[in-house]
Amino acid sequence: MEVPSGSWNELLKHEADPSPFMKHEYLAALHLSGSAGPDAGWQAQFMTLWQGERLCAACAMYLKNHSYGEYVFDWAWANAYDQHGLAYYPKALVAVPFTPVPGARLLAVDAHARSALVQALVEHASRENLSSLHLLFLQAEDASVCKANGLMLRHTVQFHWQNAGTGLESLSTDESDAHDVKAAPHAEHAFIAGSCRYASFGHFLDSLQQEKRKKIRQERRKVAEAGVSFRWSLGRDIEKADWHFFYRCYERTYLEHGNAPYLNRDFFDRMSQTMSENWLLFVAEQAGQPIACSLIAIDPVLGVAYGRYWGALARVDCLHFEACYYQPIAWCIEHGYIRFEGGAQGEHKMARALLPVKTTSAHWLAHPSFADAVERFLAREGEGVDQYVRHLEARSPVKRASLAPRQMPGSGSQNG
């Protein structure tokens, strides 16, 4: 049964932590382009709960025969099953393919419907004799209902930048940063609350320890001295030629690492047509010629930006940092965005002032003995994650304060 786009997106509007990646248009583009279709090992089996003609709950579920494109790694679990002569695949997965962005996964009109959806998922996995059910990068409400229904929680760490200035009084007067951005002019946005936002990139740098501040300036200087400049385009202003150039860069970068890209050209063509308002493109130019791109997803309502895709046709020292971190952060400051999520993994991001946050997934295993073993493993792993975060907090790049314990707004705060 096809889920109407209006009904799906209406559910998403009521979630505490929606993202562009759960929109009907994004998921449809993944499937219709074949990027996340059966041939790629993503067999869609969306779960929906209806009350008459009303869609009460829904989620994107996939039958998987591998663990690629998930970013919450369970290869060791699959190997353990294999060593005991058991089949780990196929498994059930609730996630957005190739998209490790925390947020809503279990769309529902209320808490009762959300709980009923989790129960339906477990019942389906059991009835189909699947080894396991996994729900990845969950918002807090999803994590809570999964734990309440007996699923095991698992935590990982990402690195996000927060627009957390202390007011305009500490504006940087460093002329070297004056060209970056102007004070945020878009005060009409609801997400600009009070004065606790950076007023410029220099203001942001002033919040960092001297060593980190110096390092960022050095990296940016290398790019500028190589004669590289940037331009950005938003939404419908991204020209077709720029979309095509972006894909050349994106594809080449994957191929240089010996892999074909997860997402094909048709997927991005569909994004340019159906979700253009959610994309921001930075193009690096040298001697008047484009040499690299970074494509950032944005939520204009929530004021959140998501680092997603990048690629380059030429090598310039520190170009990746400039294209994927410094240009997006400067844009977020200029436009009053509150958060820039840097994607999965990458401790090196901390040196660029992307700070650690814990993300949450939930897991159900059908085999009782393996479920017990995984539960014990997750308890030990959770302790290790907590120690890792404390270690990162002690290395804060921010002046006058260690990293406060941060919890991704949509990741849940429960200990698994």
Side-chain angles (χ1 to χ4, degrees), residues 104-301:
R105 294 293 179 268
L106 303 171
L107 311 186
V109 295
D110 55 32
H112 176 74
R114 199 183 311 276
S115 183
L117 182 60
V118 173
Q119 293 167 22
L121 287 166
V122 173
E123 291 170 3
H124 173 80
S126 180
R127 184 172 60 251
E128 296 297 317
N129 294 318
L130 302 179
S131 72
S132 52
L133 166 69
H134 310 266
L135 301 91
L136 309 185
F137 299 105
L138 301 176
Q139 67 175 355
E141 291 81 357
D142 297 345
S144 294
V145 75
C146 285
K147 184 175 182 181
N149 281 279
L151 278 70
M152 299 174 286
L153 300 188
R154 186 180 192 185
H155 301 292
T156 54
V157 177
Q158 291 188 354
F159 296 86
H160 300 173
W161 175 84
Q162 306 283 342
N163 193 349
T166 57
L168 302 182
E169 67 280 0
S170 58
L171 259 170
S172 171
T173 57
D174 190 329
E175 293 182 0
S176 66
D177 298 309
H179 68 280
D180 289 319
V181 291
K182 302 175 184 178
H186 302 289
E188 70 274 13
H189 289 307
F191 50 78
I192 301 180
S195 60
C196 293
R197 298 287 182 266
Y198 296 118
S200 69
F201 196 88
H203 183 200
F204 155 61
L205 287 183
D206 277 351
S207 72
L208 305 182
Q209 295 177 7
Q210 182 180 8
E211 178 186 357
K212 303 302 182 184
R213 188 166 63 245
K214 181 179 179 181
K215 181 179 181 66
I216 290 175
R217 285 179 173 146
Q218 288 175 339
E219 290 176 345
R220 302 199 80 188
R221 191 177 301 117
K222 287 180 181 179
V223 176
E225 290 176 349
V228 177
S229 61
F230 280 82
R231 59 180 173 86
W232 59 264
S233 302
L234 178 64
R236 292 289 181 185
D237 293 334
I238 304 176
E239 297 183 358
K240 189 173 184 179
D242 283 337
W243 278 106
H244 288 170
F245 176 72
F246 157 75
Y247 195 79
R248 283 180 58 203
C249 296
Y250 167 77
E251 182 179 44
R252 176 167 171 174
T253 299
Y254 264 88
L255 294 176
E256 286 180 348
H257 289 84
N259 301 304
Y262 282 137
L263 304 172
N264 58 32
R265 186 184 297 270
D266 183 48
F267 168 79
F268 290 105
D269 287 343
R270 292 176 185 275
M271 287 293 91
S272 70
Q273 297 166 19
T274 64
M275 284 181 57
S276 62
E277 71 278 6
N278 292 117
W279 296 106
L280 169 65
L281 181 68
F282 293 92
V283 179
E285 296 180 330
Q286 188 179 49
Q289 297 297 316
I291 62 169
C293 284
S294 66
L295 185 63
I296 308 300
I298 62 170
D299 187 326
V301 176

Side-chain angles (χ1 to χ4, degrees), residues 14 96 110 154 213 227 310 334 360 385:
H14 298 290
V96 181
D110 55 32
R154 186 180 192 185
R213 188 166 63 245
W310 120 282
E334 180 180 2
T360 305
V385 169

Side-chain angles (χ1 to χ4, degrees), residues 209 350 355 390 392-406:
Q209 295 177 7
M350 227 184 123
L355 306 182
R390 288 194 293 271
L392 293 174
E393 290 171 356
R395 296 162 49 202
S396 170
V398 180
K399 291 191 303 186
R400 295 184 297 274
S402 63
L403 288 175
R406 294 173 180 264

